Amino acid sequence: MPEPGTAELTIRPVQSIDDIHPQDWNGFVGRYNPFLQHEFLLALEESGCTNTATGWQPAHLAFYLDNRLAGVAPAYLKAHSMGEYVFDWAWADAYQRYGMDYYPKLLIAIPFTPCQGPRLLFSETLRQWMTPARIHDAVDAITTRLGAHSWHLLFPDRQDQALLDRNDQLHRIGCQFHWHNHEYNTFEDFLARLTSRKRKSIRKERRQVADQGISFRHFSGDDIPDNVLAAFHVFYQATYLKRGQRPYLNKALFRLLKDRQAEHLHLVMAVKEGEMIAGALFLTGEDTLYGRYWGCLEEFDHLHFETCYYQGIELAIQLGLARFDAGAQGEHKLVRGFEPVITHSWHGVMHPGFRDAIERFTSEEAEHVMAYTEDALQALPFRQTEQNQ
């Protein structure tokens, strides 16, 4: 391992994940986080979901220590702030009011995926050599070199948090709601931990879905039929189009995920009178179920909660997974047994005046988020004896 201070760090951006060999990239990732794997990021590029036309220009970072590849990070030059889930629209508006460019910005994140995980995929040698000062200075430098006005690293895990933790840098927190598997064998085991009122409420919701003549079919991996995947894509598109928005993902992307990451893929389809009417797509990691995409053509009472949450909880229990991350939306999960979790992001803003203003904003925002999280903890639906354990 290089002696502290004697090694030379170089960061080289690449314009496609394909410019880094899959074995080299995945050697830093491992098998268990589907969103960081070379196959997932390449599928986004090859399907046209992440390219210059969509405002997601790949600029993945390759870290070299003494000219040897020692780490990578998924990164993009962004021309907008869509699909990120850490919202900086107000910052961009402030730049515009002063006649300054906010974009392009350098985003170190997984596109369209507000899931916590590693972002700085470093070898142990590089991680031990790196310090918060070194990583912030290095990313500042590559941001300037790429012609970007700021950088943003979203949803890092604890290990990256420790590396990024520097008091004089811009740090934001948020709150999501995740379900935790306390060694349940069945859905009823989970319900037993809830208060009587919440338990009855969930049972009633599930019964009302069944009373509408709706049942569910589970598909996984290579066993997902092409017609089922195609139907799910239509449902997914409809969810965005109903809100007047353009879907982020296309049919080609879902096809590529099945071809290249089948071991991570699970699909739950709602069926009524023999016809598929809605669906939810999940991916699995080492110990986590990720609920990522949902869609339907027609609204039915409690169908969203059943398909996305209750079916997801049952799937997590069946697979023996410790956690269920069902996405970024919030309080409706709380009463269904999803617990508040603090998320993080780090930001480097090159303009000193705007940086000072944003620092004040993030400090005030953190106070509100922590207060909200504390309130959410008090509102959990678990029986008091369980919450105190």
Side-chain angles (χ1 to χ4, degrees), residues 207-357:
R207 187 167 58 250
Q208 287 176 338
V209 172
D211 288 346
Q212 294 173 88
I214 299 171
S215 60
F216 293 88
R217 293 192 63 189
H218 290 210
F219 304 89
S220 62
D222 292 327
D223 293 331
I224 301 175
D226 289 343
N227 69 307
V228 172
L229 195 63
F232 171 75
H233 175 250
V234 172
F235 300 152
Y236 164 80
Q237 282 188 310
T239 300
Y240 284 84
L241 297 174
K242 289 173 188 176
R243 302 195 299 263
Q245 299 176 3
R246 179 179 177 180
Y248 292 130
L249 308 179
N250 55 35
K251 187 176 181 179
L253 185 277
F254 293 117
R255 179 73 249 182
L256 288 169
L257 293 184
K258 181 190 171 183
D259 289 344
R260 298 175 183 177
Q261 290 192 298
E263 70 273 22
H264 297 286
L265 214 58
H266 296 265
L267 192 57
V268 174
M269 301 296 284
V271 178
K272 181 178 173 66
E273 297 176 355
E275 298 291 331
M276 292 178 287
I277 59 171
L281 186 144
F282 304 83
L283 283 85
T284 53
E286 181 175 12
D287 63 356
T288 302
L289 178 69
Y290 300 97
R292 294 307 311 124
Y293 315 113
W294 136 269
C296 66
L297 295 182
E298 185 179 351
E299 302 296 329
F300 293 87
D301 289 343
H302 307 299
L303 180 60
H304 177 256
F305 297 142
E306 175 66 42
T307 310
C308 293
Y309 304 143
Y310 303 145
Q311 292 290 320
I313 289 171
E314 289 194 334
L315 181 59
I317 294 171
Q318 174 190 334
L319 297 174
L321 298 173
R323 190 167 60 97
F324 174 24
D325 174 351
Q329 301 301 317
E331 291 180 349
H332 55 279
K333 295 184 186 133
L334 181 64
V335 297
R336 294 170 173 85
F338 287 73
E339 303 172 38
V341 173
I342 294 293
T343 62
H344 301 268
S345 60
W346 291 84
H347 308 264
V349 176
M350 301 298 105
H351 190 285
F354 279 105
R355 187 200 178 284
D356 291 344

Side-chain angles (χ1 to χ4, degrees), residues 15-279:
Q15 296 183 352
S16 170
I17 190 72
D18 214 20
D19 292 337
I20 300 176
H21 195 280
Q23 289 184 346
D24 290 337
W25 183 280
N26 286 343
F28 298 110
V29 175
R31 295 181 54 250
Y32 297 110
N33 190 311
F35 307 116
L36 290 164
Q37 289 177 352
H38 192 279
E39 292 83 354
F40 183 82
L41 298 172
L42 182 59
L44 286 172
E45 292 182 22
E46 289 187 345
S47 63
C49 296
T50 53
N51 56 27
T52 304
T54 62
W56 289 82
Q57 179 183 337
H60 305 299
L61 304 180
F63 294 78
Y64 292 82
L65 201 59
D66 287 338
N67 293 317
R68 295 185 62 182
L69 183 65
V72 293
Y76 300 84
L77 282 173
K78 288 293 303 296
H80 53 69
S81 293
M82 293 184 288
E84 298 175 14
Y85 303 94
V86 175
F87 302 109
D88 61 351
W89 300 105
W91 303 1
D93 289 343
Y95 270 71
Q96 185 177 31
R97 286 197 300 271
Y98 281 87
M100 300 179 63
D101 292 329
Y102 186 71
Y103 306 105
K105 65 179 184 180
L106 178 64
L107 184 76
I108 303 171
I110 306 300
F112 325 116
T113 307
C115 299
Q116 295 181 88
R119 296 296 177 262
L120 303 172
L121 310 173
F122 289 172
S123 68
E124 191 59 33
T125 297
L126 178 56
R127 192 167 291 276
Q128 291 183 21
W129 178 87
M130 195 66 78
T131 65
R134 282 175 174 160
I135 188 61
H136 282 276
D137 289 347
V139 179
D140 282 350
I142 195 65
T143 298
T144 301
R145 179 177 151 199
L146 289 170
H149 305 291
S150 60
W151 62 264
H152 310 262
L153 190 151
L154 311 185
F155 302 107
D157 65 0
R158 290 183 179 180
Q159 193 175 26
D160 282 353
Q161 266 292 105
L163 188 56
L164 292 159
D165 195 1
R166 185 176 174 184
N167 289 334
D168 61 345
Q169 297 298 318
L170 294 174
H171 174 215
R172 295 183 75 180
I173 62 172
C175 180
Q176 292 182 352
F177 296 88
H178 298 175
W179 181 87
H180 299 276
N181 186 353
H182 298 284
E183 299 182 350
Y184 303 127
N185 292 314
T186 66
F187 193 89
E188 283 298 315
D189 291 344
F190 158 61
L191 289 182
R193 288 194 69 220
L194 305 183
T195 64
S196 175
R197 184 168 64 87
K198 294 300 182 184
R199 188 163 56 245
K200 291 177 180 177
S201 176
I202 290 175
R203 284 175 176 154
K204 181 179 179 181
E205 287 181 353
R206 303 199 78 184
R207 187 167 58 250
Q208 287 176 338
V209 172
D211 288 346
Q212 294 173 88
I214 299 171
S215 60
F216 293 88
R217 293 192 63 189
H218 290 210
F219 304 89
S220 62
D222 292 327
D223 293 331
I224 301 175
D226 289 343
N227 69 307
V228 172
L229 195 63
F232 171 75
H233 175 250
V234 172
F235 300 152
Y236 164 80
Q237 282 188 310
T239 300
Y240 284 84
L241 297 174
K242 289 173 188 176
R243 302 195 299 263
Q245 299 176 3
R246 179 179 177 180
Y248 292 130
L249 308 179
N250 55 35
K251 187 176 181 179
L253 185 277
F254 293 117
R255 179 73 249 182
L256 288 169
L257 293 184
K258 181 190 171 183
D259 289 344
R260 298 175 183 177
Q261 290 192 298
E263 70 273 22
H264 297 286
L265 214 58
H266 296 265
L267 192 57
V268 174
M269 301 296 284
V271 178
K272 181 178 173 66
E273 297 176 355
E275 298 291 331
M276 292 178 287
I277 59 171

